Amino acid sequence: MTHRVAIVGAGPSGFYAADGLLRTRPDLRIDLIDRLPTPFGLVRAGVAPDHQGTKAIVRQFERLLAQPDVRFAGNVEIGRDLSWEELQAGYDAVIVATGMVIDRKLGVPGEELPFVWGSWRFVAWLNGHPDFRQGPDLSAVKRVAVIGNGNVALDVARVLAKSVDEMTKSDIVPEAGAAIAAAPLTDIYVIGRRGPEHASFTGNELAEMGRLSRAVAVADPAALAVEAPAHDPTLERLRKVKNLEILKGFARNVPGGKPITVHFVFNQPTAAIDPDEFDLVVTCIGYCGVEFPKGEGVFPVGWAKRGPTGTIPTNRADSHGVAQQVIAWLKERDPKSGPDPLPLSVDVAGWHRIDKAEVAAGAKLGRPRVKLTDWKALLDTAEG
Ligand code: NAP
C-alpha cells in the first residue's frame, strides 16, 4: 500500500509538483485532475499560440503521464463531480494547482462595454478554450488599446499585429486567425500606467515587437528619459536597462512605416474607457483565482499559491519545493485505505485520442494542431 496524492489542476505547476514528488517518492500514486478534458492548463490555453517553443514543455509533461502510477483525470470538476471533502477524505494529500483564471478588473467606468475584453478571455479564445469560443467582433476594429505593461500585454499586441504568414506555424484557432487577418487594424496602443522603468516586459518578448513584418513599434523618446531604479536587485535592473534600450530603438522608428503601428505609451493610468477612443480594449492587468479550502493536507502551488506572476520555469522550483513539504507530511502518516476516490473521467488514452485528432487536423494545414474547441466534440473524441 502506498500514499495517494491528488493534484487539482493539470497545468505546469501541477505537473512540476508531480515531477517533484516522483523524484523522491517514485512509488506514489498520483492523480492529475482537471475540469477540462485536456491537460496542460496555461500552456494550452494561456501561452500565446505563436510561442510554440514555450508550448514544447508539454513533451516533458507527457513523459510524466506515461508513468504507470500517474493518472490523468480530465472533465472532473471539484465541487461538481467530487467535493473538496471527498477529495481530502480519499487522498493522503491534495495539491491545489488551479492557477488564476479570472481577469482582474480595472474598476473604471466603461469597463463593462462589449468591446472591452480581459486578457484571459481574449487569449483563451485565441487558444481554443472550450468555454471561450466567442471572440470579439474584429470586422471594424482599427484602433486597439492593450492596457498593462507585462508580457501578456505583449502577447496580445503581437498576435494582433502579426501577419498571416507569421502565424502559420502557430496553433491559433482558425476562426480567430481569420478574424485578425481580416480586421482593418491600423494602430495598437500598449498602455502602461507607470513609466517604462517599471514595465515588467522581458527583453526577448519586447525585442520581438521590433521584428514584426506588418507592424512598426514606436515610442515617445521623452517618456524614455528615465533610468532603471537604482534600488532594484541587479537582475531586475539589468532587465529594465535592456527594456529601455529596446524602447529607445523603437523611438527611432517612423509611425505608419508599415500597415500597423504599435505605440508604447507610458504614464497613462486608465480613469475610464471612452468608446470614442478605441474599437477594442484588452486589459492585461493580471488575474484572480477561485477559492479553495485551506487546511491540513492541502498544499497550494504555482499561481494558486503565489499569485499571477512568474514564468513557467519559475513554477518548477516552486512546485518542487512544495513537493518536498508534501513528502514530509506523508512521512508522518500511514496511507489511507478505501475505494478509489476518482470518478469516471477522460483518462490519458482519451486525451491522446483528442491529441491525435487535433494533430491530424493541423497536419492538413501545415500547422502544429487545430484544436477541438467544442465540449461535445472533445468528449466524443476522447471516448473514441
Ligand atoms: P504582470 O507582468 O504582472 O503585468 C501586469 C501589468 O498590469 C503591469 O504592468 C501592471 O502595472 C499592470 N496593471 C495592474 N493593474 C493595473 C491597473 N489597474 N491599471 C493599469 N495597469 C495595471 O502580469 P502579466 O502580463 O499578466 O503576466 C503574468 C506572468 O506571466 C508574468 O510573470 C509574465 O512574465 C508571465 N508571462 C510570461 C510570458 C513569456 O515569458 N513570454 C508571456 C506571458 C506571461 P504596475 O506595474 O503599475 O502594477
Side-chain angles (χ1 to χ4, degrees), residues 71-362:
R71 294 190 294 186
F72 171 63
N75 191 32
V76 173
E77 189 170 334
I78 308 303
R80 181 190 70 183
D81 305 305
L82 196 66
S83 69
W84 283 101
E85 293 73 27
E86 287 168 318
L87 194 69
Q88 283 173 267
Y91 289 89
D92 298 293
V94 175
I95 294 179
V96 180
T98 45
M100 294 216 148
V101 294
I102 301 165
D103 283 304
R104 202 186 270 164
K105 291 280 181 193
L106 275 171
V108 300
E111 190 165 16
E112 303 310 325
L113 291 166
F115 65 95
V116 183
W117 283 64
S119 59
W120 172 254
R121 198 158 62 111
F122 186 77
V123 175
W125 169 61
L126 302 175
N127 270 323
H129 189 301
D131 291 343
F132 299 91
R133 298 182 74 201
Q134 187 65 47
D137 177 3
L138 300 181
S139 59
V141 169
K142 291 184 181 169
R143 291 160 57 84
V144 181
V146 178
I147 298 176
N149 266 183
N151 282 333
V152 170
L154 295 182
D155 282 349
V156 168
R158 187 185 66 250
V159 170
L160 285 169
K162 272 191 171 179
S163 66
V164 170
D165 279 356
E166 286 169 315
M167 292 301 285
T168 44
K169 297 288 175 216
S170 80
D171 64 354
I172 190 169
V173 292
E175 310 81 62
I180 292 171
L185 290 161
T186 57
D187 296 275
I188 299 171
Y189 295 80
V190 179
I191 302 171
R193 64 176 167 181
R194 295 194 287 162
E197 73 280 26
H198 300 293
S200 54
F201 309 135
T202 48
N204 288 345
E205 283 63 29
L206 185 59
E208 195 181 350
M209 298 302 296
R211 297 192 297 266
L212 303 181
S213 71
R214 69 163 184 165
V216 59
V218 302
D220 174 3
L224 305 176
V226 289
E227 287 187 1
H231 59 264
D232 274 358
T234 308
L235 281 179
E236 196 48 7
R237 206 157 26 81
L238 291 175
R239 179 182 67 75
K240 290 177 175 178
V241 167
K242 188 173 174 198
N243 277 355
L244 286 166
E245 261 172 43
I246 296 167
L247 288 163
K248 282 175 185 165
F250 294 171
R252 290 191 283 274
N253 291 337
V254 183
K258 292 182 183 176
I260 297 175
T261 302
V262 180
H263 310 254
F264 284 84
V265 179
F266 298 100
N267 300 307
Q268 216 172 94
T270 307
I273 307 279
D274 180 352
D276 293 333
E277 275 189 276
F278 298 106
D279 307 312
L280 172 71
V281 176
V282 186
T283 59
C284 308
I285 60 165
Y287 308 103
C288 325
V290 285
E291 285 299 310
F292 54 85
K294 298 168 182 80
E296 294 227 313
V298 177
F299 299 84
V301 287
W303 283 12
K305 175 185 159 208
R306 301 188 323 272
T309 58
T311 58
I312 291 168
T314 320
N315 284 301
R316 185 171 185 272
D318 183 76
S319 290
H320 280 187
V322 172
Q324 288 309 313
Q325 292 170 21
V326 175
I327 284 165
W329 159 269
L330 295 174
K331 208 170 169 189
E332 305 297 319
R333 278 154 190 88
D334 290 331
K336 284 178 185 164
S337 55
D340 185 351
L342 197 64
L344 204 60
S345 58
V346 173
D347 62 7
V348 72
W351 151 240
H352 284 155
R353 282 190 278 275
I354 294 172
D355 187 40
K356 202 171 157 198
E358 291 184 344
V359 171

